[in-house]
């Protein structure tokens, strides 16, 4: 279903890759990723489509991550590269399109940006209700739920009216706290997962709040541009607009939201009712499951940064560590999570380097561009090569064959450094068996040549741990030679 929905976008993206070439100019004419007129006409002629259809498919390709535009240059996204061999890349592309549903259709005219933003923020709960209903839901019922959710959002913000300053000497209303007078930009943000919390049965069954209290457009949330807020030269909002939402003003916005979601394939809409498609139901279920996973972080590291999270996972068994990685990843955007993990891998602790790439294995395909980008960093290159080999389907047992002799030796020293810092002496002795060199003298020669910054410490620790006096003496001699720069 996802392939069918994105087939047109993939076709245009493949055309752009072949006709324009990676990094060649001409895709966008305004620096905003809008397809230039000449390129759109050329694509329409080559593909036998209308210019309007080409533009629509191009926009879908951008939203789904099938094509990336930087200024006037276009290049295929990783999802297009993986399109034929990785079903998860196709699904992730459709989920990206689903997440961007509010960009798929133009916003209705005649509505304040603040009101549109409120509806976008409230729709996750509407979608959750549709998923729980597992069938068609009347539009009127969805409107009641949307109105309640928008009213809840306004109440949670505790916004004060934009009007004349109240008399400082006047008594505050009963129940008003000191934070109620803070502007929205100075109050703490709501938890993002709250938007996907399924509505309670009582909330759905409760009568809709009265619409008579609202006489103007809804107040702007904190993320609406300042230009849309009342101020000098702009009319102040009515004093009672922080009250219950007006169903009449929300009805056209709900219709717009449902049509936009239908356009991306998340639901069907018509005849006064809406129904999630199987693809849309799956996507909402995944969103809810991610919240559950994030809420059940086994070791309690979900709120930690990547480095602290990895340290917390160091003593866990592999399966428990992977569960912790999944919980940690579910609580943050993939892009920033990958950046954090690679930053932790660049540190001095070799153990964290290895664990960071284990966590990146849980991320999977979305991490590929970032992992590929660190191939020029000597400290990360062996780990990145192994990650990419396994990602391309090579058996983990055979993945080491992609490393050169020097890269394998560097990785051996780095792993030995992690064992020396965090493991026990017998583990370091056993680590000798994993070296690619057939003899210890050959290993010592190549370890000296590879130039790992922890070579001396590793050799000293190995000499202290090894039970064979003669071998320990040879290892100490090698450590001394590296330390003094001798041969």
């Amino acid at each position: 279903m996802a392939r069918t929905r994105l087939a047109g976008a993939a076709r245009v993206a493949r055309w752009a890759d072949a006709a324009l070439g990676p990094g060649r100019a001409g895709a966008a004419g305004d620096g905003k990723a809008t397809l230039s007129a000449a390129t759109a006409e050329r694509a329409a002629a080559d593909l036998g489509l209308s210019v309007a259809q080409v533009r629509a498919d191009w926009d879908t390709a951008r939203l789904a991550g099938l094509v990336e535009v930087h200024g006037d240059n276009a290049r295929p996204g990783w999802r297009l590269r993986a399109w034929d061999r990785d079903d998860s890349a196709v699904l992730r592309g459709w989920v990206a399109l689903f997440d961007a549903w509010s960009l798929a259709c133009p916003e209705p005219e005649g509505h304040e940006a603040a009101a549109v933003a409120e509806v976008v923020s409230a729709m996750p709960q509407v979608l959750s209700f549709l998923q729980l209903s597992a069938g068609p839901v009347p539009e009127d019922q969805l409107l009641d739920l949307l109105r309640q959710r928008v009213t809840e959002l306004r109440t949670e913000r505790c916004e004060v009216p934009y009007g004349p300053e109240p008399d400082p000497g006047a008594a505050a209303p009963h129940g008003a706290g000191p934070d109620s007078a803070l502007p929205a930009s100075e109050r703490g943000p709501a938890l993002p997962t709250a938007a996907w919390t399924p509505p309670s049965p009582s909330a759905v069954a409760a009568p809709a709040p009265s619409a008579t209290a609202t006489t103007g457009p809804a107040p702007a949330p904190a993320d609406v541009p300042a230009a849309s807020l009342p101020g000098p030269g702009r009319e102040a909002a009515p004093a009672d607009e922080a009250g219950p939402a007006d169903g009449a003003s929300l009805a056209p916005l709900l219709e717009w939201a449902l049509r936009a979601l239908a356009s991306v394939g998340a639901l069907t809409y018509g005849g006064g009712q809406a129904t999630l498609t199987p693809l849309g139901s799956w996507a909402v279920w995944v969103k809810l499951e991610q919240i559950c996973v994030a809420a059940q972080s086994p070791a309690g590291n979900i709120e930690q940064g990547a480095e602290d999270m990895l340290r917390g996972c160091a003593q866990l068994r592999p399966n428990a560590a992977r569960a912790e990685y999944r919980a940690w990843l579910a609580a943050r955007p993939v892009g920033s999570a990958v950046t954090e993990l690679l930053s932790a891998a660049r540190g001095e602790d070799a153990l964290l380097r290895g664990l960071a790439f284990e966590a990146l294995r849980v991320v999977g395909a979305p991490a590929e561009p970032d992992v590929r980008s660190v191939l020029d960093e000597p400290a990360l290159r062996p780990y990145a090569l192994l990650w990419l080999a396994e990602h391309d389907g090579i058996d983990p047992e055979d993945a080491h064959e992609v490393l050169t002799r020097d890269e394998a030796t560097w990785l051996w020293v780095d792993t030995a450094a992690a064992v020396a810092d965090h493991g026990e002496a017998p583990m370091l002795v056993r680590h000798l068996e994993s070296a690619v060199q057939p003899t210890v003298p050959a290993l010592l020669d190549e370890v000296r040549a590879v130039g790992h910054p922890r070579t001396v410490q590793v050799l000293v620790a190995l000499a202290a741990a090894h039970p064979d006096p003669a071998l320990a003496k040879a290892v100490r001699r090698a450590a001394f030679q590296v330390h003094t720069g001798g041969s």
Side-chain angles (χ1 to χ4, degrees):
M1 294 181 68
R3 286 186 184 277
T4 301
R5 176 60 60 175
L6 295 176
R11 177 176 52 184
V12 170
R14 289 190 187 283
W15 175 88
D17 184 27
L20 302 179
R24 288 176 55 186
D30 58 359
K32 299 179 181 179
T34 302
L35 203 62
S36 66
T39 304
E41 292 173 1
R42 179 182 169 190
D46 289 349
L47 297 174
L49 302 172
S50 66
V51 171
Q53 185 62 52
V54 167
R55 289 191 180 279
D57 288 342
W58 174 262
D59 290 340
T60 298
R62 288 193 300 110
L63 294 177
L66 298 178
V67 65
E68 299 173 359
V69 177
H70 302 271
D72 291 342
N73 298 322
R75 67 186 184 195
W78 71 266
R79 291 178 181 131
L80 183 65
R81 293 298 191 207
W83 182 269
D84 293 327
R85 60 179 171 83
D86 189 350
D87 289 340
S88 67
V90 180
L91 285 173
R92 288 178 184 274
W94 184 83
V95 170
L97 178 64
F98 169 66
D99 288 339
W101 66 264
S102 61
L103 305 177
C105 291
E107 298 175 3
E109 298 180 357
H111 293 274
E112 295 288 339
V116 175
E118 284 182 328
V119 170
V120 172
S121 298
M123 283 306 293
Q125 195 168 42
V126 174
L127 289 168
S128 298
F129 178 64
L130 280 167
Q131 203 271 343
L132 291 173
S133 300
V137 178
E139 188 175 359
D140 290 344
Q141 189 173 0
L142 296 177
L143 180 61
D144 283 344
L145 180 60
L146 178 65
R147 181 165 50 187
Q148 292 178 57
R149 182 56 182 154
V150 169
T151 300
E152 289 171 1
L153 290 173
R154 295 179 184 180
T155 303
E156 289 168 4
R157 286 199 304 269
C158 299
E159 289 188 345
V160 295
Y162 294 102
E165 290 284 337
D167 183 359
H174 177 68
D179 291 340
S180 63
L182 288 175
S185 61
E186 296 181 15
R187 292 194 296 274
L191 290 174
T193 54
W196 280 99
T197 302
S200 64
S202 59
V204 175
S210 170
T212 58
T214 301
T215 58
D223 58 354
V224 172
S228 64
L229 299 177
R234 291 186 295 276
E235 182 180 356
D240 59 349
E241 71 173 0
D246 180 7
S249 63
L250 290 178
L253 291 176
L254 174 63
E255 181 181 358
W256 160 73
L258 294 176
R259 292 192 183 282
L261 286 161
S263 73
V264 301
L267 54 80
T268 58
Y269 174 55
Q273 61 185 18
T275 309
L276 283 182
T277 63
L279 200 56
S281 182
W282 169 81
V284 175
W285 178 82
V286 167
K287 297 286 185 184
L288 295 174
E289 185 184 46
Q290 287 176 343
I291 295 169
C292 293
V293 170
Q296 296 172 6
S297 170
N301 293 305
I302 189 173
E303 296 181 358
Q304 304 295 329
E307 188 170 329
D308 291 335
M309 182 274 293
L310 294 172
R311 291 188 190 281
C313 294
Q315 302 301 321
L316 298 178
R317 292 182 179 276
N319 286 341
R322 281 191 289 271
E324 192 70 6
Y325 300 151
R326 283 193 292 270
W328 187 84
L329 291 165
R332 46 193 42 78
V334 173
S336 62
V338 171
T339 300
E340 266 197 78
L341 289 170
L342 288 175
S343 178
R346 292 186 178 96
E348 296 182 358
D349 194 329
L351 176 65
L352 296 190
R353 196 155 26 251
L355 293 177
F357 277 85
E358 286 299 318
L360 288 169
R361 286 178 172 84
V362 175
V363 177
E368 181 180 359
D370 295 277
V371 172
R372 201 173 291 280
S373 71
V374 303
L375 288 174
D376 292 334
E377 300 182 36
L380 302 186
R381 179 176 174 81
Y383 294 95
L385 287 172
L386 292 176
W387 189 99
L388 291 168
E390 294 176 23
H391 177 65
D392 288 340
I394 298 177
D395 190 292
E397 295 292 331
D398 301 326
H400 67 277
E401 296 177 2
V402 305
L403 302 179
T404 65
R405 185 83 163 212
D406 285 348
E407 290 164 351
T409 303
W410 197 100
L411 183 60
W412 185 91
V413 178
D414 206 50
T415 306
V419 175
D421 290 342
H422 301 279
E424 300 176 353
M427 291 179 61
L428 191 56
V429 175
R430 290 196 299 271
H431 185 55
L432 272 174
E433 300 174 1
S434 66
V436 296
Q437 292 77 6
T439 65
V440 172
L443 171 65
L444 296 178
D445 288 342
E446 295 187 32
V447 163
R448 288 198 298 265
V450 80
H452 192 289
R454 295 289 306 278
T455 298
V456 173
Q457 294 93 325
V458 165
L459 293 178
V460 169
L462 180 58
H466 207 283
D468 185 336
L471 190 146
K473 181 179 179 180
V475 173
R476 277 193 297 272
R477 184 185 304 113
F480 178 77
Q481 291 171 344
V482 173
H483 178 65
T484 60
S487 59

